[in-house]
Amino acid sequence: MDEKTARNKKQVPEDAKQQQLNKYRIQNTGKPLTTKQNLKFANDSEILKAGERGPGLMQDWYFFEKFGHFSREEIPERVVHARGYSAHGEFEAYQSMKHVTKAGFLSEAGKKTPVTVRFSTVQGPKGSYDTVRDLRCKAVKFYTEEGNYDLTTIAMPVLIVQDPMKFPDVIHAYQSKQDDDIPTGTGAHDRFWDYVAANPESLHMVTWVMSPRGILRSYRMMESWSINTYLFVNDQNVATFVRFVWKPVLGVHSLLQDEAIKLGGIDPDYHRKDLRRSIDAGLYPEYELGVQLIPMEDEFKYDFDILDPAKFWPEELIPVQKIGKLTLNRNIENYHTESEMVAFNPANVVPGIDFSNDPVLQGRLFAYRDTQHHRLGSPNYDELPINKPLCPFHNNTRRGFMRYRIDVDHVNYHNNELAGNTPFTTPPEEGGFLEFPKPVEGRVGRWRSESFNDFFTQVRIFWNSLSPIEKQHTIDGFSYQLGKVVSEDVRKRNVDLLANVDKTLADIVAGNIGVERPSGTHVPVSTRYPSLSQENTPKYAQTQWVGVVIGDGFNGQEVKRTIEFLKNNGVFVDLVSDKLGTVTGDDGTKLEVSYTFITASPYLFDTVYIVGGNARNQAKFMQNAFKYVQHAYSHFKPIGVASTAQNYIRRSSNNNLAGVVFAANNPNFEKEFLQVIAQHRFWDRR
């Protein structure tokens, strides 16, 4: 490696991006109020008037500056993925991937790269809610030593379209109607399901969305896939097909449909707050990056087309190799500049990563940059602090709205002699990007490959792979969404389509939504892949949220010991009572109350620890406490019962108390309670 190449491969310092952003971070607290030109101002409360009760004056330039900026504070929101949230972190490579890619950030074990991540939903506007049933996106911007690399993924391994030409149509069908702008943040309406019935390739992703995958518990528990097929290219110019997947260390976990809907009203920012709380507590979200690799010569080896974005690559056939870990360790400090203005583009790659002929990927290479030009108002959006690469960049682009950089040389064209033909191009062997010479053949035309036309085999495999409880929740998802459809014809056409996936599924849904059972039956496929189910996902107590229902007079030693044990094991604990302030135990122990029964719903918590106690209005307190217990039990959540609260839940012939742990006469209560918290749900409960 020559000196120039070695210089280009210099590792980026771990905090380099934050150091860069610090140049733009401004602290206004404790400073005098000024205009944009730093003129200190004496009155910021009244406009300039002719007399105390007279008219305003045109010469009030300060009002025009203040209000004029206010009127222009918002920028166009994203057409899709408008509802989102971001965090900062770092990616660390597990091993060298030089044998398949020359990408510098994957070149050696332990190499760290700063990143910014944005999570988002798809359907709703910026003001919609977090827990809606939807597909979700996770976009990661790697600030590498070779430039920015953007990896965009979604929370299921298949896309709803097979060709980018259809993307505007499916989004038009999915989003709110033009006449009344209803509904917000849901696909439970006639237009979307009419599209699904008329476009059978959409059924695969729709089935994933109707499954528990469509209503995730947390961004921290979100598995996501690149969907599109990319290329890894190594130093020998050998290419390999690759798909990416992020595996959350905490496992993949979901809400129940009832919870997702109710939380939309109780706390629209549920996922945002969850992400911030975990990072603030130092319990950083972690995701392992996996790759699935297929040699170029094996392109036609499988019974599905590896370039079809509506098909997944089964892990059992094409294993996932984990190559690094992403850790989110810093919250954003300004939503607008660090999340709303961050711009991702799958065309932002580094040497060693290239594009396959995946048709949707080909369309995305145009669409993303065009979208950002419109949304951020200038082709210079790359110079915004959150989008700016860490390494310097040099080219011949100039001018445009909001140009930040001051290019001081007057030669801005290529080729040239006046500037020694600089900026100069870089050969591939010295780190320059050169497209991989993929072979192509055929005639020009608007084609769909015949290999894309199997719409039901993989959906059937996904259904076969689900556990019984996942199947029931998927039936619930279809039944709720299609039950909102007014047109009987649209409902009927969709259950007819579902029959191709599973006849029993279609029959049950048909019965739930009031249409005739379909006459057809499912495709004859019995294959199942355990990797597609959440049943065997990792489960931990860490970062689960426990609501402690408590009043005065509790067993001080027992409760304090339990709460400290849970917190020491990374569990979030908050006290809920009839009023804010403190509650006092039988030994004088005082504990701070975080929420009241008015400000916190049992839907917010993963687990309930029922302590009981005394209150000003004892009957009302007990009524609220019973509500917490009943909710937790009916939603299969873990329940811990303090020795002072045994009367709130008792064993009977109608229940088996699965996942309920009692403290009375139980020296191992804290450990057993932690174990059931780690289980998350108890589906065998009755």
Side-chain angles (χ1 to χ4, degrees):
M1 182 182 292
D2 62 25
E3 183 179 349
K4 182 192 295 184
T5 306
R7 187 166 60 251
N8 290 340
K9 295 288 186 180
K10 183 179 179 182
Q11 180 161 332
V12 173
E14 294 175 30
D15 62 345
K17 186 60 186 179
Q18 295 307 315
Q19 291 178 15
Q20 185 191 63
L21 291 176
N22 283 340
K23 299 174 183 178
Y24 302 94
R25 290 185 169 115
I26 304 296
Q27 177 62 256
N28 297 299
T29 304
K31 305 295 193 302
L33 179 71
T34 73
T35 67
K36 291 184 177 182
Q37 310 306 319
N38 201 35
L39 177 65
K40 296 177 183 177
F41 226 72
N43 185 324
D44 188 49
S45 300
E46 286 83 31
I47 64 170
L48 193 65
K49 297 187 288 283
E52 290 186 7
R53 302 180 69 249
L57 301 180
M58 284 291 293
Q59 72 183 65
D60 193 354
W61 58 269
Y62 177 55
F63 170 72
F64 297 151
E65 177 184 297
K66 179 179 179 179
F67 208 89
H69 188 102
F70 171 74
S71 299
R72 296 165 177 83
E73 282 183 353
E74 295 305 318
I75 62 176
E77 68 176 39
R78 293 166 170 88
V79 177
V80 290
H81 303 293
R83 176 75 178 181
Y85 210 70
S86 297
H88 301 293
E90 67 178 19
F91 173 79
E92 182 175 359
Y94 283 162
Q95 63 191 78
S96 171
M97 295 298 292
K98 287 182 178 180
H99 59 291
V100 288
T101 178
K102 53 189 173 185
F105 76 104
L106 297 176
S107 62
E108 59 185 272
K111 190 168 189 176
K112 295 181 179 180
T113 304
V115 302
T116 287
V117 175
R118 186 178 186 269
F119 301 93
S120 60
T121 57
V122 168
Q123 198 266 13
K126 193 169 71 171
S128 55
Y129 64 98
D130 284 348
T131 58
V132 64
R133 184 183 290 278
D134 200 354
L135 65 101
R136 284 167 175 78
C137 177
K138 175 183 176 182
V140 181
K141 187 178 291 292
F142 297 80
Y143 302 100
T144 85
E145 73 273 18
E146 298 173 294
N148 290 352
Y149 168 53
D150 293 350
L151 176 58
T152 58
T153 58
I154 64 173
M156 42 214 61
V158 292
L159 198 59
I160 200 166
V161 295
Q162 295 173 307
D163 192 286
M165 189 69 82
K166 299 183 76 169
F167 191 75
D169 299 294
V170 67
I171 295 303
H172 284 166
Y174 193 28
Q175 292 182 329
S176 56
K177 302 202 308 295
Q178 298 300 296
D179 55 351
D180 55 14
D181 199 33
I182 295 172
T184 297
T186 178
H189 56 85
D190 289 52
R191 297 165 70 250
F192 176 64
W193 287 99
D194 176 54
Y195 178 91
V196 173
N199 296 269
E201 72 268 29
S202 65
L203 182 62
H204 194 179
M205 195 184 85
V206 166
T207 304
W208 280 78
V209 175
M210 294 304 109
S211 80
R213 299 269 186 172
I215 41 177
L216 292 172
R217 161 62 181 86
S218 168
Y219 289 139
R220 300 175 296 108
M221 303 168 186
M222 173 175 148
E223 188 174 18
S224 60
W225 292 261
S226 64
I227 304 301
N228 297 124
T229 302
Y230 293 83
L231 298 179
F232 269 163
V233 183
N234 65 15
D235 281 326
Q236 289 74 47
N237 208 33
V238 175
T240 305
F241 291 112
V242 60
R243 282 192 180 183
F244 301 90
V245 57
W246 291 108
K247 300 275 189 181
V249 171
L250 289 176
V252 184
H253 302 282
S254 299
L255 299 167
L256 298 182
Q257 181 166 262
D258 174 63
E259 293 170 331
I261 294 169
K262 299 283 177 41
L263 283 169
I266 294 166
D267 190 354
D269 304 307
Y270 186 73
H271 286 158
R272 296 178 173 202
K273 292 178 180 177
D274 171 87
L275 183 66
R276 291 193 70 91
R277 179 175 62 231
S278 295
I279 295 174
D280 283 341
L283 298 170
Y284 300 138
E286 295 178 323
Y287 312 82
E288 291 184 296
L289 179 61
V291 293
Q292 293 174 281
L293 304 173
I294 296 178
M296 296 290 283
E297 59 269 23
D298 289 345
E299 179 176 358
F300 303 104
K301 176 180 178 180
Y302 302 95
D303 60 2
F304 56 91
D305 195 318
I306 68 169
L307 300 184
D308 184 351
K311 304 293 191 295
F312 56 75
W313 291 6
E315 294 184 15
E316 286 77 3
L317 302 182
I318 308 159
V320 172
Q321 180 182 352
K322 294 178 180 178
I323 64 172
K325 181 189 285 185
L326 168 66
T327 303
L328 299 181
N329 55 22
R330 179 170 180 147
N331 278 313
I332 58 173
E333 297 176 290
N334 186 299
Y335 172 79
H336 184 77
T337 54
E338 294 178 89
S339 186
E340 192 64 10
M341 297 181 76
V342 66
F344 297 93
N345 181 359
N348 290 345
V349 293
V350 293
I353 300 177
D354 208 330
F355 313 108
S356 76
N357 292 334
D358 177 333
V360 169
L361 177 58
Q362 294 289 314
R364 295 177 71 211
L365 298 179
F366 159 77
Y368 275 66
R369 188 163 191 87
D370 183 63
T371 296
Q372 308 301 357
H373 281 179
H374 163 71
R375 197 175 65 83
L376 297 173
S378 170
N380 292 314
Y381 72 83
D382 306 274
E383 298 178 36
L384 293 169
I386 195 65
N387 299 320
K388 188 176 182 180
L390 289 175
C391 54
F393 60 93
H394 308 281
N395 54 48
N396 292 316
T397 60
R398 297 291 188 270
R399 303 177 182 173
F401 287 110
M402 297 301 171
R403 181 76 170 182
Y404 288 87
R405 54 187 285 146
I406 303 171
D407 298 284
V408 297
D409 34 17
H410 67 281
V411 175
N412 60 341
Y413 52 88
H414 190 87
N415 294 323
N416 69 74
E417 292 295 334
L418 292 176
N421 205 24
T422 60
F424 53 81
T425 57
T426 303
E429 59 271 16
E430 295 181 9
F433 181 85
L434 185 66
E435 289 78 3
F436 180 75
K438 301 186 296 287
V440 295
E441 61 181 2
R443 294 169 295 168
V444 172
R446 298 186 184 275
W447 312 104
R448 175 197 289 267
S449 173
E450 285 294 327
S451 58
F452 279 33
N453 287 337
D454 179 1
F455 302 137
F456 305 118
T457 296
Q458 282 206 345
V459 200
R460 173 71 178 166
I461 292 172
F462 175 58
W463 174 257
N464 292 342
S465 303
L466 299 179
S467 68
I469 193 67
E470 287 174 308
K471 288 183 176 180
Q472 182 57 55
H473 292 166
T474 304
I475 291 170
D476 293 343
F478 275 114
S479 299
Y480 176 84
Q481 295 257 323
L482 285 169
K484 292 279 190 175
V485 171
V486 176
S487 169
E488 182 177 347
D489 175 68
V490 172
R491 282 180 274 145
K492 180 65 170 66
R493 286 191 290 124
N494 274 280
V495 296
D496 289 346
L497 190 65
L498 275 177
N500 294 283
V501 177
D502 187 78
K503 181 64 162 62
T504 302
L505 163 67
D507 287 347
I508 295 173
V509 173
N512 290 342
I513 64 174
V515 297
E516 291 183 6
R517 292 184 174 185
S519 58
T521 190
H522 50 254
V523 293
V525 176
S526 59
T527 306
R528 63 183 302 272
Y529 296 123
S531 63
L532 301 180
S533 171
Q534 296 177 222
E535 184 175 31
N536 299 314
T537 194
K539 298 181 178 71
Y540 301 97
Q542 188 181 81
T543 73
Q544 291 293 97
W545 193 10
V546 176
V548 182
V549 180
I550 192 168
D552 292 321
F554 57 89
N555 184 322
Q557 289 188 353
E558 174 190 300
V559 173
K560 184 178 180 181
R561 182 175 63 247
T562 300
I563 290 176
E564 288 179 351
F565 181 81
L566 295 180
K567 288 184 175 180
N568 288 338
N569 282 276
V571 176
F572 294 124
V573 179
D574 281 297
L575 275 60
V576 183
S577 192
D578 61 329
K579 60 183 177 64
L580 293 177
T582 58
V583 287
T584 305
D586 58 3
D587 61 352
T589 297
K590 292 186 179 297
L591 299 174
E592 190 73 24
V593 174
S594 307
Y595 299 98
T596 69
F597 293 121
I598 295 174
T599 61
S601 164
Y603 281 91
L604 293 171
F605 300 103
D606 300 301
T607 299
V608 166
Y609 177 26
I610 180 72
V611 176
N614 305 316
R616 294 172 299 177
N617 185 335
Q618 190 65 25
K620 184 69 172 176
F621 177 91
M622 294 182 68
Q623 181 184 17
N624 283 315
F626 273 118
K627 183 170 70 173
Y628 268 73
V629 174
Q630 291 165 357
H631 165 85
Y633 199 85
S634 65
H635 288 76
F636 311 98
K637 297 177 179 180
I639 300 174
V641 184
S643 59
T644 53
Q646 296 183 79
N647 59 320
Y648 283 95
I649 183 168
R650 297 180 183 277
R651 188 182 302 276
S652 73
S653 59
N654 296 322
N655 65 39
N656 60 5
L657 299 188
V660 181
V661 181
F662 293 87
N665 304 313
N666 184 359
N668 297 316
F669 171 68
E670 296 88 14
K671 292 182 179 179
E672 291 180 7
F673 191 21
L674 187 70
Q675 289 172 354
V676 297
I677 292 172
Q679 194 62 29
H680 291 224
R681 306 276 188 175
F682 290 83
W683 304 121
D684 60 339
R685 181 179 287 170
R686 57 173 175 80

